[in-house]
Amino acid sequence: MHALPQRQHRRPPPSSPPCRLVFVGSMATSNKLHLLTGGIGLGMRQLSKYSKLYANKPTYVQPFTLAAVASPRAMYPDYHKVYKESQNYDEIHLHTLSGSCHFVVNLVEQYPDLKAKISSAVFDSPCHIQGIPAALKHLKGVPEGITRPLISTVFRGAITTSDTFVREALLPGVPTGVIYSDRDKVAPVTMIEQMLESWAEGDAPASVLRMKTNSEHLLTMRDQPEDYEKFVESVMAMAKKPAPKTVDEAEGVAIPLVA
């Protein structure tokens, strides 16, 4: 008897990146999209906790990965996916976590017409790409001597976007909230405050509210959930009012800061 030929099993296609979800509840007719971009290492499970701040509102959740940092902007498809979804709305609220400000910079540079739609923005622990070595050492124990040379070569483009974000206001005149902490080793308080000063000194300073806490990187919502939610609501409410023109004028407008 001849042996039957063995069936060849095809390998399953490689798994795709975490899906981006659009949460649409009872307010599906809302013309505002809430765009939540996550920090490196945050999966959909962690990001869904932030999306609950916008319950029953159209919310697009965009994970942020090392592939987004390393890929040339034109070759990374998620920018177009976000842009395509945004065309269904007249207004956008940004909620950006940690280093995903790199994603947002690239997004608005690739699709500049989006800027006109952004009515408010919250940046939670925004960090320069050079904060990744500290993050990996803190989270995974990876020596910074390994990661810093890698960033200088593989992630050179992200250094440019980080410099741009820190040097000048990405969204001039748009009500913006910045959440930062004295205990953050990834996004040091000195870097954040220098960034805010640079924004205020630009030709078109942004309107900024500050929430300064004692939490570690990206843990303010866990530690102070009610204050965090109130702060986000305060920033969004400013989109409906004449916004302060400078950081100094915005002082005292935000909810009380927690020492």
Side-chain angles (χ1 to χ4, degrees):
M1 293 179 63
H2 296 288
L4 294 174
Q6 293 184 352
R7 293 184 62 184
Q8 294 184 350
H9 297 280
R10 294 183 177 179
R11 285 187 177 183
S15 58
S16 58
C19 59
R20 290 142 297 277
L21 303 179
V22 179
F23 299 90
V24 180
S26 60
M27 295 180 64
T29 56
S30 170
N31 69 344
K32 178 188 287 189
L33 177 66
H34 302 77
L35 174 57
L36 172 64
T37 61
I40 288 177
L42 297 184
M44 293 302 296
R45 183 174 62 84
Q46 293 98 330
L47 294 176
S48 66
K49 297 177 182 179
Y50 288 88
S51 71
K52 291 178 182 178
L53 294 167
Y54 310 108
N56 296 323
K57 299 174 184 177
T59 305
Y60 192 99
V61 181
Q62 172 65 48
F64 184 58
T65 64
L66 285 175
V69 181
S71 301
R73 185 173 65 202
M75 295 177 62
Y76 196 67
D78 287 16
Y79 296 116
H80 182 69
K81 292 176 182 177
V82 172
Y83 179 73
K84 184 177 179 181
E85 180 62 34
S86 72
Q87 298 310 290
N88 298 317
Y89 302 89
D90 298 327
E91 193 176 349
I92 298 172
H93 166 72
L94 289 180
H95 192 143
T96 302
L97 306 177
S98 190
S100 63
C101 50
H102 166 81
F103 184 92
V104 174
V105 170
N106 274 337
L107 178 67
V108 298
E109 286 187 353
Q110 185 156 328
Y111 301 104
D113 56 305
L114 277 184
K115 278 193 174 184
K117 289 189 174 186
I118 298 174
S119 59
S120 55
V122 171
F123 295 102
D124 184 348
S125 311
C127 71
H128 195 285
I129 189 67
Q130 297 290 9
I132 285 183
L136 291 178
K137 181 179 179 181
H138 179 67
L139 297 172
K140 305 292 184 180
V142 180
E144 293 189 33
I146 295 176
T147 50
R148 287 201 180 279
L150 184 66
I151 285 175
S152 299
T153 53
V154 179
F155 302 141
R156 191 175 303 169
I159 294 177
T160 301
T161 53
S162 293
D163 288 344
T164 298
F165 182 82
V166 170
R167 184 176 60 249
E168 58 191 34
L170 179 66
L171 305 168
V174 173
T176 300
V178 178
I179 301 169
Y180 62 111
S181 168
D182 283 321
R183 296 178 60 200
D184 194 333
K185 297 179 180 179
V186 180
V189 64
T190 52
M191 186 275 289
I192 299 291
E193 292 181 344
Q194 288 172 4
M195 178 189 76
L196 293 174
E197 289 178 8
S198 296
W199 287 6
E201 294 170 359
D203 293 335
S207 308
V208 178
L209 300 184
R210 310 182 188 196
M211 181 177 183
K212 185 177 180 182
T213 74
N214 286 325
S215 299
E216 293 186 11
H217 189 65
L218 286 180
L219 292 184
T220 296
M221 193 176 80
R222 185 201 70 177
D223 296 342
Q224 302 168 222
E226 293 183 2
D227 289 339
Y228 194 102
E229 183 174 2
K230 289 178 181 177
F231 183 80
V232 171
E233 290 174 352
S234 296
V235 175
M236 294 178 65
M238 287 182 64
K240 303 174 184 178
K241 304 174 183 178
K245 297 299 182 183
T246 67
V247 172
D248 291 338
E249 290 175 29
E251 294 289 351
V253 178
I255 61 173
L257 306 181
V258 179

